[in-house]
Amino acid sequence: MTFKTTLAAGLTAALFITPVLSTHALAEEMKMPMQGHAAHGQTASTKGFEEANAKMHKDMMIKYSGKTDADFVRSMIPHHQGAIDMAKVELAHGTDPAIRKIAEDVIKAQEAEIKVMQDWLAKNGK
C-alpha cells in the first residue's frame, strides 16, 4: 500500500467515524445534568447560558408524531424559546450596545414566531 493510499484510507475512516463519535458524545452529554461548574468559578452568564441550553435541548426532545409540519413546529417552539432565554442572559450580563440590541431583536422576533407557531398548532396539529 502506498503512502497516499494509506493516508486516503485513514482520512476516509476519520470522516466516517468522527461524526458518529461526536453524535454519541453529544447524546451522552445531553443525558448528564449540568453540575459542578459553579464550584469552579463559573460566571453568572455562563451558568445562565448552560441552563438555557440544557432546557432547550430537553424540551426539544418531543415524541414525534410522523406529521412533519406539526413535529417541526413542536420542536421549533422550544428552540426559539432557548434563543429568547439566551438573549435574556445577554441583556442581564452583556455590556456591548450592539450585541445587546441584537439580543433585544432576537427576543422580539422569536416571540412573534412562537406566537405564529402556537396559533398554527392550535388550528392544525396536536
Side-chain angles (χ1 to χ4, degrees):
M1 204 181 271
T2 69
F3 175 75
K4 284 183 179 180
T5 305
T6 304
L7 180 61
L11 290 174
T12 301
L15 288 173
F16 286 104
I17 292 170
T18 301
V20 171
L21 293 176
S22 297
T23 302
H24 178 71
L26 179 59
E28 289 302 312
E29 178 69 22
M30 290 174 63
K31 291 179 188 174
M32 299 296 296
M34 294 294 179
Q35 59 190 6
H37 296 289
H40 302 291
Q42 177 184 31
T43 66
S45 64
T46 299
K47 185 175 187 281
F49 287 133
E50 287 181 345
E51 288 172 355
N53 193 41
K55 182 180 184 320
M56 176 185 70
H57 284 283
K58 178 183 159 284
D59 292 349
M60 287 176 62
M61 299 299 293
I62 65 167
K63 181 176 180 186
Y64 291 101
S65 68
K67 298 176 184 174
T68 305
D69 297 329
D71 290 345
F72 172 75
V73 171
R74 290 176 46 242
S75 295
M76 288 305 294
I77 291 172
H79 185 268
H80 280 35
Q81 185 61 53
I84 292 167
D85 295 343
M86 287 185 274
K88 288 179 179 178
V89 173
E90 167 60 27
L91 293 178
H93 303 284
T95 59
D96 186 290
I99 301 303
R100 290 176 57 81
K101 172 70 168 102
I102 290 170
E104 290 169 351
D105 292 346
V106 164
I107 291 169
K108 184 177 179 181
Q110 300 296 299
E111 285 178 340
E113 288 187 14
I114 287 173
K115 174 77 170 98
V116 169
M117 289 185 280
Q118 288 171 332
D119 290 347
W120 184 90
L121 274 176
K123 293 176 189 170
N124 300 290
K126 296 197 185 272

